[in-house]
Amino acid sequence: MSTRIPDSAPSSFEVHVLPDAAALAEAGAREFARAAIEAIDGQGVFRVVLAGGSTPRALYARLTRASRRGSIRWDHLRFFFGDERCVSPDHEQSNYRMAREALLEPLKIPARHVLRMKGEEEPARAARAYEEAIRRQFSGRPARFDLVLLGLGEDGHTASLFPSTEALAERRRLVAANYVPKFSEWRLTLTFRALNAARRVIFLVSGPQKAAAAARILKKRRGYQDLPASAVFPRRGTFLWLLDEAAASRM
Ligand code: 6PG
């Protein structure tokens, strides 16, 4: 059972609070399945952007459970990534590796249906290549993902759009190579242009350490615009924040 928090934002903006991380994962899996079935019935394909980090792992695992596996025609899905660390695909820090282990391999998703950000390549070249791969997937039409899953960092970052980094200002490209001083490393990330064109965006936020950032953004408290996740708002899409009670504890 989720609690809907009334919000002053347009009606497509929803915030659901779930009792705990397990309920959050289940709610996320339910939303994923609903969006996939709707897109496949409507257009024959579901193009989804997977989130990195650790929170989505439980959601991905629930999608592979027999009880849900049969409800989605997996061969009609095309998988993309919101961001990637600049490491090899087998590196323990790789977002692709996490998704491969938790979702793609258990469901036997063919490699040709997965567009991986090539973190092992030179960042600027990898970003350009990914952008070209996205444009090919949309046959030159504007890239509009059916669903984008996102996480939230304690500093208010999302994907690899970190505070005070150059990719925040990118308005033309869909993919950027972004140097992150706090980690002294490069990342690959979708830009706000790509994220905000989506038909549906879902944030998955779990744990007390995210509570301050989530509350600042969702309640538009002083300085919220300094948090990159506050700039995610699908222009012509629907928007859902899923939080567990710990992450919503400062609302
Ligand atoms: C990454 C993610 C990042 C993540 C948040 C939350 O590459 O790290 O894309 O944006 O979603 O940092 O991470 P957790 O889910 O691990 O808290």
Side-chain angles (χ1 to χ4, degrees), residues 207-236:
Q209 70 279 25
K210 312 296 178 72
R216 257 178 84 190
I217 292 168
L218 292 173
K219 293 301 174 186
K220 298 183 174 58
R221 288 176 182 154
R222 186 166 50 86
Y224 77 96
Q225 289 165 314
D226 297 336
L227 305 185
S230 69
V232 174
F233 205 104
R235 290 186 308 282
R236 293 179 294 121

Side-chain angles (χ1 to χ4, degrees), residues 11-31:
S11 60
S12 64
F13 185 91
E14 288 190 76
V15 180
H16 291 181
V17 178
L18 290 307
D20 53 32
L24 175 71
E26 180 55 32
R30 191 168 53 244
E31 290 292 335

Side-chain angles (χ1 to χ4, degrees), residues 147-148 150 195 198-203 232 234 238-241:
L147 175 62
V148 172
L150 290 172
L195 300 178
R199 294 182 192 282
R200 185 156 178 74
V201 174
I202 299 179
F203 269 98
V232 174
T238 59
F239 194 16
L240 170 63
W241 282 70

Side-chain angles (χ1 to χ4, degrees), residues 51-56 83 85 95 150-153 157-160 187 210:
S54 56
T55 303
D83 71 316
R85 293 79 181 273
N95 287 334
L150 290 172
L152 177 70
H157 80 264
T158 190
S160 282
R187 294 282 190 97
K210 312 296 178 72

Side-chain angles (χ1 to χ4, degrees), residues 18-186:
L18 290 307
D20 53 32
L24 175 71
E26 180 55 32
R30 191 168 53 244
E31 290 292 335
F32 183 108
R34 183 181 301 154
I37 292 164
E38 183 181 316
I40 293 165
D41 288 350
Q43 62 188 21
V45 64
F46 178 58
R47 299 183 180 94
V48 58
V49 174
L50 299 180
S54 56
T55 303
R57 184 186 285 269
L59 185 165
Y60 299 158
R62 282 176 183 268
L63 288 172
T64 66
R65 288 185 183 175
S67 56
R68 177 163 280 122
R69 186 187 299 228
S71 64
I72 298 173
R73 288 183 286 165
W74 293 100
D75 59 328
H76 292 259
L77 274 74
R78 300 298 177 267
F79 295 88
F80 302 77
F81 289 83
D83 71 316
E84 185 57 280
R85 293 79 181 273
C86 288
V87 295
S88 76
D90 294 317
H91 192 284
E92 62 178 7
Q93 285 293 314
S94 164
N95 287 334
Y96 165 78
R97 175 176 164 181
M98 185 274 279
R100 186 187 68 206
E101 292 172 349
L103 182 69
L104 304 174
E105 276 179 350
L107 290 173
K108 297 181 174 44
I109 302 294
R112 67 182 182 281
H113 290 175
V114 180
L115 280 88
R116 179 177 70 84
M117 288 181 167
K118 295 185 177 173
E120 70 277 20
E121 292 186 357
E122 189 278 323
R125 181 150 49 88
R128 283 195 304 276
Y130 203 70
E131 176 137 358
E132 286 159 23
I134 290 174
R135 292 189 185 282
R136 280 196 299 274
Q137 272 292 316
F138 286 90
S139 309
R141 293 188 312 278
R144 193 165 185 223
F145 293 108
D146 297 301
L147 175 62
V148 172
L149 297 177
L150 290 172
L152 177 70
E154 294 180 46
D155 59 1
H157 80 264
T158 190
S160 282
L161 297 164
F162 285 83
S164 311
T165 59
E166 290 196 10
L168 299 182
E170 178 55 57
R171 291 288 176 267
R172 192 170 51 85
R173 291 191 177 282
L174 301 176
V175 186
N178 196 28
Y179 185 72
V180 184
K182 77 183 285 189
F183 299 133
S184 304
E185 67 183 30
W186 285 90

